[in-house]
Every structure is written in C-alpha cells, then in structure tokens.
C-alpha cells in the first residue's frame, strides 16, 4: 500500500538539481514535504540547496512565511550523493537532461533501488512518457510530471499518464501537486502534452498571417496584446522571448509528431530566420531589434485627420453593425439607406470573411469598402482592413474617424477573419480537438492554458465567451477562402455549435 501524499513523512527524491529540479524542491519543502536531492555532477546538488535556501529566506524576509517556517522548510531539504540514497522515498521526480536513453537507463536503475510502490515521475518536456517507462519492469508506476519554468510562479503541473500508467499513480501526483500549492491538470501522453499542444494556434496562425503579408509582426502583436483578446504578449514578442532556436524546434517537432497535421504547420520563413541566427532577445535581433535587452518597436504612425462625409454600414452581421453604429452615431452621419448613397464610405463587419467577399456579398463597390473587426467589441485597439482595391483616401478617412476618440487603430490588408478572429478561432479549434481526442477534459484544458501560458482565458472558455456558432462561422469562412484542411472545424466544436450548447459540454 503506497504512502498517502498527505502524510507528514512523505518523502520525494529529486534527481537533477538544475533549473527545474531546484524549483520543484523549493515548492515541495514549502508544502511540508521532505526532499532528497541528487545530481550526477559534483557540486550541483549543493548549489541547488543554496539556491532553495536563498529563495525560502527571501520569502521570509518579504513576510510571506515566518522565520520558523523558513528554517523548517530548509531543514526538509537533504542532499544525497548517490542514487542509492533514494531507497526509502515515496516518489522520485527526475529532472535531468532531456535525453530518452539517459532517462530510460536512470529509471531502470531506480527500479532496483526504490520500494515497489514508489512512483517514478519524469519532468520531461517533450519525450514520450510511455517510451521512458518502456525500459522499466513495472511501467504502471511511471508517469510524466511536467512543471513549467519558473516553477514557483507557474502554478500548474501536467500529470501525464503513459499508456500503461496505473490510475493510483496519477491520483497521488495530483495530491502531491496540491500540497506544493500547484494545480494539477491531467493529460494523456501525446505530443506537446497539454500546454504546448494547446498553445500551438497562437504561433501558427500569427505566423500564417505574417507570411501572407496581411500585417507586420508588430501590428499582429499590437492587436493581440492591446486589443480585447488581452494576451500578455503577441506571438512574435513571445517567440523572441523564448528564443526562436527553442520555439522553432518545438514548432517543427510537434508538427512532425502529429504526422503533419495542417493545424500545426509552421511557415517556411521561421526556418530561414533560425538559420540566420535571428533568435530574439538572446541574440539581439529576432522579429524585433533589441538594444540593451530593450525591444525597439516601430514608432506608431499618427492617425490621419481626414473624415468621411458619411458611412454606410452593412447589415449582414447585425451585432457588428449595431456596435459600430453605437460607436459612431454621434461622430458622423450614418447612411441608413438599403444601399450606400454616393457620398458614403461602406463599412463591413465580417466574421471569417475577407473584405473583398463581404463587399461582393453585399453588392457594394470594393473600391469604397473597408472592414472593421467588431467580434470582441470596439473599446480597445481597433482593426481596419481594406480590399486590394480600396481607395487609400477613403481608408484614411475611416481610420481618422475610428481613431478620433484616441483609441489606436491597426490597418491591415485583406484577410478572412482579420487577425484576432483567426488566432482565437485557431486556439479554440485546437482546444476542442484536444477535448474530442480525450487527451484532457475541457476544464483541465482551460486551466492548463490559463496557468501555464498566462492566456486571459482558456481555449474552451474563449470559445464560449465569443459563442461557439461564431467560432464555427469564422473557421468555415477561413476554410472556404483557403481550401486548407488546417481550418476544418473540430467535430467537438461543430456539433456543440449546431446543437446550441456550450463547448464545455462533455460527451454524455
Ligand atoms: N528549463 C525549462 O524551462 C524546462 C521546463 C519544463 C521541463 N523541463 C525539463 O526538465 C528537465 C531538466 O531541465 P533543466 O532545465 O532543469 O536542465 P538543467 O540543465 O538546468 O539541469 C539538469 C541537471 O541534471 C543533472 N544531470 C544531468 N544528467 C544527469 C544524470 N544522468 N544523473 C543525474 N543528474 C544529471 C545536471 O548536472 C544538471 O544539474 C529536462 O527533461 C527538461 O526538458 C525544462
């Protein structure tokens, strides 16, 4: 009978005292758990101990814990100098170098040292947990336990069940996580596990928009960060922060591991930028240039002073029209004709359609049509889109009008779904497909993405807040425009949208 993780005597062995091992040790001693820390390289475990002590003492200095609690937490951390020292532990968390052969060999060795009911967990970020367990006599006790860096700040851990992992193992890992103040999310052993799988759409769709010349890197980032989508950083800022040498490799690897699933297809220019060494902050240049580690973004262009005489707003998307009318009615004459009058600039508010298609569908002249993204409201940064033949003077007039209350406007080229619609639809669609494949529950998908990636909402929550039917419309529009299976809606999404139920509705 395995020891209950709530027990005061519960003891964890951590192998590898690097970035991750020491972070895990820190939260575990804080949770009242005894730790035995081992590292294969001389001095590394000692340095890990010093680091954890420093962090715990700092926490006491800040008043987060008492001095007595700090002393007790540090006393729980013991350094050991051989693997044999792990003989009595209840759980081993391995955080050594990311190499399948090394991890397999280590786990096979551990099996001969620890008790039969000791759990063996790996903090691998990309290797198959099932493959690591394959070298063990009892693969049932092996699981993935994927923490994020920095461990004390990103309070989520993926509990990954390999094909042969026993249920009690994951239950115990959940309890240990909660004792350490972390939120466990359950996931099956699948490429990218949960967080790195669910986060793909943010990058791949951002890259696709840039590749097609719809908007610049900084315009895409501005819309996703400052607009109502509310991401902390845009995809290009994020890639520059992680480093394209890391995120580019992950992108390619996940695409390949899913047998070239088009939803995860990267773009060719990332490979070229990697070859050129444009990694981001660490190399001084990526999608942006960095001076003294400070991002140099292009200066925003001032909004034009021009205004149109009147605007005609397409009624095809009634909510879109209503929000634009509410915004503009006191600032400009709204042309209420069934068809636009001769003096009016035409505004369309499409979902998943480009400005060209919206103009043609409405039977209005593309030369005097612009499109505005109203999906997430108009309070934050606004996106204005042209057809290839829109008169630049008319575009500037609507730009001036939209910016006349001081809210910034991003002007982009024609795109089915602008920027935010496309990126959010991609994230929701991938989240729904994860639910459909039973890799994780909607609740865990949301939690993992909010806590692990700091998105303002999880994928399923995003879909429900926008409305499943709207997300479906956007994806269908993208699919019609590109004839690319990348945009095929997940059946999880399309069924729930057509049934009029929320995306967190489980399978009955
Ligand atoms: N750094 C991250 O952002 C991050 C995030 C999530 C998961 N991970 C995963 O966590 C694991 C550790 O990553 P890290 O960033 O902490 O690495 P790191 O290089 O900072 O630390 C690894 C430590 O393991 C020790 N080590 C290496 N081989 C060993 C062996 N055979 N036996 C004992 N000790 C050994 C090294 O001396 C080193 O101290 C990897 O599997 C990595 O993929 C890393």
């Amino acid at each position: 009978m395995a020891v209950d993780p709530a027990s005061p005597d519960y003891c964890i062995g951590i192998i590898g005292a690097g970035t991750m091992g020491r972070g895990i040790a820190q939260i575990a001693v804080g949770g009242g758990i005894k730790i035995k820390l081992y590292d294969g390289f001389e001095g590394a475990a000692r340095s890990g101990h010093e680091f954890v002590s420093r962090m715990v003492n700092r926490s006491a200095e800040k008043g987060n814990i008492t001095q007595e609690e700090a002393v007790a937490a540090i006393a729980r951390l013991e350094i050991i100098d051989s693997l044999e020292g792990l003989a009595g532990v209840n759980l081993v968390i391995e955080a050594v170098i990311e190499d399948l052969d090394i991890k397999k060999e280590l786990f096979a060795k551990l099996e001969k040292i620890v008790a039969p009911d000791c759990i063996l967990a790996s903090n691998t970020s990309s290797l198959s947990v099932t493959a690591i367990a394959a070298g063990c006599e009892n693969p049932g006790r092996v699981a993935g336990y994927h923490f994020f860096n920095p461990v004390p700040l990103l309070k989520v851990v993926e509990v990954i069940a390999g094909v042969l992992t026993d249920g009690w193992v994951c239950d115990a890992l959940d309890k240990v996580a909660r004792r350490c103040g972390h939120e466990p999310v359950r996931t099956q052993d699948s490429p990218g596990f949960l967080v790195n799988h669910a986060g793909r759409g943010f990058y791949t769709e951002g890259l696709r928009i840039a590749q097609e010349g719809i908007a610049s890197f900084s315009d895409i980032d501005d819309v996703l960060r400052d607009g109502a989508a509310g991401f902390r950083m845009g995809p290009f800022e994020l890639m520059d922060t992680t480093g394209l040498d890391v995120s580019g490799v992950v992108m390619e690897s996940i695409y390949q591991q899913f047998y070239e699933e088009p939803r995860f297809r990267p773009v060719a220019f990332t490979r070229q930028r990697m070859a050129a060494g444009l990694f981001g902050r660490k190399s001084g240049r990526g999608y942006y240039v960095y001076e003294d580690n400070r991002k140099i973004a292009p200066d925003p262009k001032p909004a034009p002073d021009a205004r149109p005489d009147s605007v005609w707003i397409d009624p095809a998307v009634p909510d879109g029209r209503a929000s634009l009318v509410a915004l503009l009615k006191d600032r400009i004459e709204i042309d209420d004709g069934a068809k636009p009058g001769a003096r009016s600039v035409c505004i369309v508010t499409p979902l998943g359609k480009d400005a060209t298609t919206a103009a043609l569908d409405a039977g209005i002249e593309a030369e005097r049509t612009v499109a505005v993204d109203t999906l997430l409201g108009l309070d934050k940064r606004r996106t204005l889109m042209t057809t290839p033949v829109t008169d630049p003077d008319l575009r500037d007039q609507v730009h001036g009008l939209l910016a006349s209350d001081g809210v910034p406007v991003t002007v982009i080229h024609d795109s089915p779904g602008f920027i935010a619609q496309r990126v959010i639809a991609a994230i929701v669609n991938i989240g729904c497909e994860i639910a459909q494949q039973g890799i994780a529950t909607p609740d865990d998908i949301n939690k993992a993405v909010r806590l692990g990636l700091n998105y303002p909402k999880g994928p399923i929550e995003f879909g429900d807040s926008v409305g499943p039917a709207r997300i479906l419309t956007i994806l269908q529009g993208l699919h019609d425009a590109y004839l690319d299976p990348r945009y095929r809606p997940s059946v999880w999404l399309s069924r729930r949208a057509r049934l009029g139920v929320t995306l967190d509705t489980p399978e009955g």
Side-chain angles (χ1 to χ4, degrees), residues 367-381:
E367 290 78 0
R368 55 178 177 136
T369 298
V370 295
V372 177
D373 189 357
T374 56
L375 180 72
L376 301 175
L378 292 160
D379 295 344
K380 302 258 178 84
R381 179 176 282 277

Side-chain angles (χ1 to χ4, degrees), residues 19 49 83 101 113 127 155 167 193 199-200 224 227 265 303 307 371 376 395 402 418 429 463 466 502-503:
T19 309
H49 191 288
L83 277 183
D101 290 338
I113 296 170
L127 301 171
K155 293 186 177 292
F193 307 131
R200 284 305 92 205
L224 294 168
R265 191 193 309 121
R307 304 281 184 277
L376 301 175
R395 174 201 61 203
L402 283 175
F418 301 85
N429 202 29
V466 167
T502 55
L503 295 179

